[in-house]
Amino acid sequence: MDELRTKYLDAIAAAADETALEELRVQAVGKKGEVSLKMRELGKMTPEERQVAGPALNALKNEINSALAAKKVALADAALDARLATEWLDVTLPARNRRVGTIHPISQVTEEVTAIFADMGFAVAEGPQIETDWYNFDALNIPGHHPARAEMDTFYTHRADGDNRPPHVLRTHTSPVQIRSMEKTGAPIRIICPGRVYRADYDQTHTPMFHQVEGLALGKDISMANLKWVLEEFFSAFFGTDVKTRFRASHFPFTEPSAEVDIQCSWEGGTVKVGEGDDWLEVLGSGMVHPNVLKAGGIDPDEYQGFAFGMGIDRLAMLKYGIPDLRAFFDSDLRWLRHYGFASLDQPTLHGGLNR
Ligand code: DAH
């Protein structure tokens, strides 16, 4: 037994790797290993002999197993030490260049518009993109039979068979937020609402999802003159140059009187320039809020009056930054985003200048 002990403990101590160690384990304590065979001989011994040899063999087996385990750990440690000695990382190397993302022109223009109107005392209001037909139409003085419903290319949600309630719609304009805001705060009120709107339309200047900004100002004596000043102030700040406006009589169910507003522009050289020349470009709808709309919002039309307007944010972005095709706005093409996008730390502010 002493011979066996010396033989295996020496061999284990000298083993060069895990394979050698495994071979030694099989030879010594495997099923047909030397120690195991010796244990089988216990059966042929007398009880007295067995009492001495049994525990001694067990102790030997345990000793060899412990030596094997300890050597295994030592080999792994040595391997790790060797790797640590050869593999290393130069943490002083300069980092690999990564491209920084950009702010989408829609987000940029929304921030610009918000900054300008905030300066004139307008707060930002929001509403849901999935609307009831009450908020999107009826409350805005557009009853069921009104042609404006058909003209808006509305997306309707699905109702289960037998459910005869009118379907919800994807809001076709930001005007329903007028009603929601009136309900929430009552008059007086001064808000803008930038947001997504939806219509089933698709060509170079139309996408099924686009963006509008709604404006609403109600008070005891707010007039059309205030509307004109606010809009001229806005366009001049937005385009960074004095912009003349032209009000054309028009019709919207939710305003009376109603006006479409054009801004001064030139088409010289095939590109449009805002704030110069003798041409006009239509950019928004507006008017004095219809008494029926005030009533729908819970406001007394004999006490309060005011103006509202709605314009396309995407359109403003195309005009200001010379972007020709609206569809590209929503293609998520990285080349386009890098070209037309804005630096993320370059927040638009009035004092910092909105133009670049
Ligand atoms: N909601 C209209 C549209 O989507 C735009 C509009 C016109 C909004 C006149 C108004 C308004 O607030 O007074 O075409």
Side-chain angles (χ1 to χ4, degrees):
M1 239 183 262
D2 281 343
E3 254 169 51
L4 277 179
R5 172 182 290 108
T6 321
K7 174 178 168 190
Y8 282 110
L9 292 187
D10 286 354
I12 289 168
D17 53 32
E18 277 201 36
T19 323
L21 214 52
E22 177 59 14
E23 264 168 35
L24 285 170
R25 189 191 66 76
V26 174
Q27 264 179 48
V29 294
K31 252 191 196 154
K32 288 180 186 157
E34 275 192 280
V35 177
S36 311
L37 291 178
K38 278 265 174 297
M39 283 177 135
R40 266 186 227 167
E41 287 169 16
L42 287 174
K44 293 177 223 148
M45 292 181 192
T46 65
E48 293 74 27
E49 283 172 331
R50 207 181 300 139
Q51 241 168 30
V52 180
L57 271 172
N58 256 329
L60 176 59
K61 187 180 170 190
N62 288 341
E63 204 176 341
I64 289 174
N65 273 332
S66 304
L68 284 167
K71 183 66 180 180
K72 195 168 175 180
V73 172
L75 282 173
D77 284 352
L80 183 61
D81 283 345
R83 271 184 65 190
L84 287 175
T86 52
E87 292 177 13
W88 59 284
L89 194 67
D90 184 353
V91 294
T92 67
L93 279 177
R96 209 167 283 161
N97 235 350
R98 277 214 212 172
R99 292 188 93 139
V100 178
T102 57
I103 300 294
H104 196 283
I106 300 286
S107 305
Q108 174 77 14
V109 167
T110 303
E111 290 298 324
E112 293 177 8
V113 169
T114 306
I116 298 169
F117 279 107
D119 195 53
M120 294 192 273
F122 285 77
V124 172
E126 288 185 308
Q129 294 176 34
I130 300 173
E131 260 304 3
T132 63
D133 73 337
W134 160 259
Y135 281 108
N136 196 78
F137 296 122
D138 298 83
L140 291 164
N141 202 30
I142 314 175
H145 58 266
H146 199 282
R149 288 209 183 199
E151 279 161 21
M152 283 221 180
D153 302 309
T154 312
F155 285 113
Y156 293 92
T157 61
H158 178 71
R159 284 267 190 230
D161 285 346
D163 185 343
N164 293 323
R165 289 173 302 163
H168 284 27
V169 301
L170 298 188
R171 69 178 178 196
T172 56
H173 49 183
T174 42
S175 303
V177 184
Q178 287 189 35
I179 307 294
R180 290 184 175 276
S181 303
M182 290 184 216
E183 286 177 342
K184 207 164 167 185
T185 64
I189 200 169
R190 220 188 302 175
I191 52 124
I192 58 161
C193 163
R196 290 189 169 164
V197 300
Y198 302 84
R199 288 181 205 179
D201 208 351
Y202 191 69
D203 60 35
Q204 191 176 342
T205 52
H206 296 90
T207 49
M209 185 278 295
F210 59 105
H211 301 78
Q212 287 188 335
V213 57
E214 193 80 10
L216 175 69
L218 300 177
K220 301 255 174 188
D221 53 7
I222 291 182
S223 71
M224 204 87 180
N226 298 129
L227 169 66
K228 183 154 204 238
W229 182 85
V230 163
L231 290 179
E232 286 191 342
E233 198 68 13
F234 165 72
F235 286 120
S236 298
F238 182 74
F239 289 106
T241 172
D242 280 347
V243 179
K244 286 203 192 84
T245 60
R246 184 173 76 173
F247 281 54
R248 273 181 298 104
S250 180
H251 175 264
F252 299 104
F254 27 90
T255 42
E256 181 58 38
S258 304
E260 278 177 313
V261 178
D262 303 337
I263 53 175
Q264 173 198 12
C265 73
S266 87
W267 283 103
E268 236 167 85
T271 53
V272 46
K273 287 207 191 72
V274 174
E276 55 187 74
D278 306 319
D279 272 325
W280 298 98
L281 195 69
E282 186 199 318
V283 284
L284 64 80
S286 65
M288 296 300 288
V289 180
H290 196 290
N292 288 350
V293 174
L294 292 172
K295 277 187 227 160
I299 288 173
D300 181 359
D302 291 328
E303 206 184 337
Y304 286 102
Q305 61 175 29
F307 64 77
F309 60 84
M311 62 184 148
I313 292 181
D314 321 67
R315 190 84 194 290
L316 288 177
M318 291 170 80
L319 277 175
K320 180 164 174 179
Y321 295 112
I323 308 173
D325 194 318
L326 179 60
R327 290 167 296 194
F329 274 69
F330 311 116
D331 281 346
S332 300
D333 183 327
L334 277 178
R335 293 163 302 180
W336 189 93
L337 291 168
R338 280 175 192 141
H339 182 75
Y340 287 110
F342 294 81
S344 57
L345 294 177
D346 194 8
Q347 290 284 323
T349 56
L350 283 184
H351 53 272
L354 298 169
N355 288 276
R356 325 184 314 132

